[in-house]
Amino acid sequence: MDMKQAATLIDQCWDESIIPTLCDYIRIPNKSPHFDPDWAAHGHMDKAVALLEDWCRDQPIKGMTVEVVRLQGRTPVLFIDVPGASDDVVLLYGHYDKQPEFSGWREGLAPWEPVIEDGKLYGRGAADDGYALFGCLTAIEALQREGVGHGRCLVLIEGCEESGSFDLPHYMDHLAERIGTPDLVICLDAEAGNYDQLWLTTSLRGMLPGVLTVEVLTEGVHSGMAGNIVPSSFRHLRGLIERVEDAVTGELADVLHVQIPDSVRAQAKQTAEVLGDSVFTKFPWVAGAPTDMTPTEALIANTWHPSMATVGISGAPEVQDAGNTLRPKTQAKLVFRLPPTLDAEEA
């Protein structure tokens, strides 16, 4: 295979076709069902999958069939079948639903408006996971242009991943006969260490989300009147979290830890030698923030140690709007990241 010629084709396709389509995709606020319960009525999911379908149908890939599969009440799936030169079957996976818009975008950037800056495209959903479909088909086209044989390629792009993929099992059952038993499954939805090597994820922590609610009153009361009589809902919430996470060290309960294989430690050491301090510097730290781990320790902690993040809090007004009222309840959305070999139910 002429890699230089393939690279030229791929670069041209991304610049002339994929980037403009990704920009249009970013403009569609097709938030995952957990974040937009009325997604069907709003129509953003249908608009997003239609955009991707139209792009697919324009691609010069031999024998390709493109179909949007719909099951009642579930987010649609884009299913693509490309016949191959052998009986081998490769299933390529991605998703097109998006995380909510969040707040705190820096000046000049926004969730639903694409911006290209320093050669990078910013906007909600482009990297997670809008690129997946384009990466799959462009790679297949490059092989065909070079006359390189490939197995049968099935591409499945779902619309529920950010909500835990609760629609996906229904589609896998529905498409079971057409998919069969793949020889290889490629999931294009993971982080790359840099743009200089091809990266492969060998293990991934599981995610366990939940909402913790502490309620002490049916309505708010004056804090001066109720202080030391009515307990703070936030204090009780904090105490419950403390049972799992040490507030000082950030360490989680022993039951959430697993034995880390020596092979993982060796891989982390080799990876750290490639990435160096970029393991830390890729994050937008404030001045003076501590980074007391080595790159190797950081990689292991991020892939095999459990963690917990409080990603949302409700029940409290914004600081500028807060008076002296003791609020009736506090809610926190917690996300646990659990080691790959942990039995979550047993823990």
Side-chain angles (χ1 to χ4, degrees):
M1 183 173 183
D2 187 332
M3 297 303 295
K4 185 175 181 180
Q5 186 170 324
T8 299
L9 166 69
I10 292 170
D11 288 344
Q12 181 179 359
C13 187
W14 277 88
D15 291 341
E16 297 179 1
S17 176
I18 296 175
I19 294 299
T21 306
L22 274 175
C23 287
D24 291 337
Y25 165 75
I26 286 171
R27 295 186 178 99
I28 304 172
N30 60 307
K31 293 183 286 188
S32 201
H34 271 177
F35 311 111
D36 183 10
D38 295 326
W39 63 268
H42 292 155
H44 301 309
M45 209 69 80
D46 287 324
K47 186 176 180 180
V49 78
L51 175 72
L52 300 178
E53 179 190 12
D54 289 345
W55 182 87
C56 292
R57 294 190 184 281
D58 287 338
Q59 304 315 301
I61 296 177
K62 299 173 186 176
M64 178 176 66
T65 60
V66 180
E67 178 184 356
V68 175
V69 184
R70 300 176 187 274
L71 296 178
Q72 182 64 36
R74 303 198 179 278
T75 51
V77 158
L78 186 62
F79 187 67
I80 300 166
D81 192 337
V82 182
S86 72
D87 293 331
D88 295 330
V89 177
V90 180
L91 177 62
L92 301 112
Y93 165 91
H95 69 89
Y96 66 91
D97 58 314
K98 301 172 184 176
Q99 282 277 315
E101 53 268 51
F102 196 61
S103 59
W105 290 72
R106 64 176 169 83
E107 186 176 357
L109 300 180
W112 313 122
E113 187 57 40
V115 173
I116 297 177
E117 184 179 285
D118 296 329
K120 296 188 175 102
L121 174 61
Y122 293 87
R124 181 59 86 222
D128 185 15
D129 190 34
Y131 81 95
L133 169 70
F134 303 102
C136 292
L137 293 195
T138 307
I140 294 171
E141 181 185 350
L143 290 173
Q144 292 189 354
R145 288 279 190 98
E146 289 290 303
V148 178
H150 58 77
R152 180 185 175 209
C153 295
L154 303 175
V155 182
L156 191 153
I157 310 295
E158 67 154 315
C160 189
E161 192 273 347
E162 300 292 4
S163 298
S165 293
F166 55 78
D167 285 344
L168 183 59
H170 299 274
Y171 282 105
M172 294 302 292
D173 290 340
H174 180 72
L175 297 168
E177 289 189 9
R178 297 169 65 180
I179 293 174
T181 303
D183 298 282
L184 175 66
V185 177
I186 300 175
C187 176
L188 290 102
D189 188 16
E191 183 182 3
N194 56 32
Y195 296 106
D196 301 317
Q197 284 101 2
L198 177 65
W199 292 87
L200 178 67
T201 298
T202 58
S203 62
L204 198 64
R205 291 187 299 178
M207 185 181 76
L208 178 65
V211 176
L212 175 62
T213 303
V214 175
E215 189 169 7
V216 296
L217 297 168
T218 59
E219 59 186 68
V221 297
H222 195 285
S223 60
M225 181 189 304
N228 286 342
I229 300 176
V230 177
S232 162
S233 59
F234 179 76
R235 176 171 63 83
H236 280 295
L237 183 140
R238 184 177 61 186
L240 290 170
I241 294 176
E242 180 75 15
R243 296 181 186 181
V244 182
E245 180 193 49
D246 187 304
V248 176
T249 65
E251 282 292 315
L252 267 62
D254 290 343
V255 71
L256 297 178
H257 288 262
V258 298
Q259 186 70 32
I260 301 173
D262 291 339
S263 59
V264 168
R265 297 186 183 279
Q267 291 168 7
K269 185 175 183 298
Q270 291 178 327
T271 304
E273 291 172 355
V274 174
L275 297 179
D277 289 342
S278 68
V279 174
F280 306 109
T281 57
K282 66 181 180 180
F283 299 113
W285 298 92
V286 297
T291 53
D292 55 358
M293 290 188 288
T294 67
T296 299
E297 291 170 339
L299 288 170
I300 293 173
N302 188 239
T303 54
W304 277 81
H305 288 183
S307 67
M308 192 204 76
T310 303
V311 297
I313 294 181
S314 63
E318 296 290 333
V319 172
Q320 65 269 19
D321 300 322
N324 294 317
T325 300
L326 187 69
R327 61 187 184 276
K329 68 178 181 180
T330 303
Q331 285 186 313
K333 182 175 181 181
L334 309 177
V335 174
F336 290 87
R337 299 287 177 171
L338 305 178
T341 57
L342 179 74
D343 186 325
E345 291 187 2
E346 182 180 342

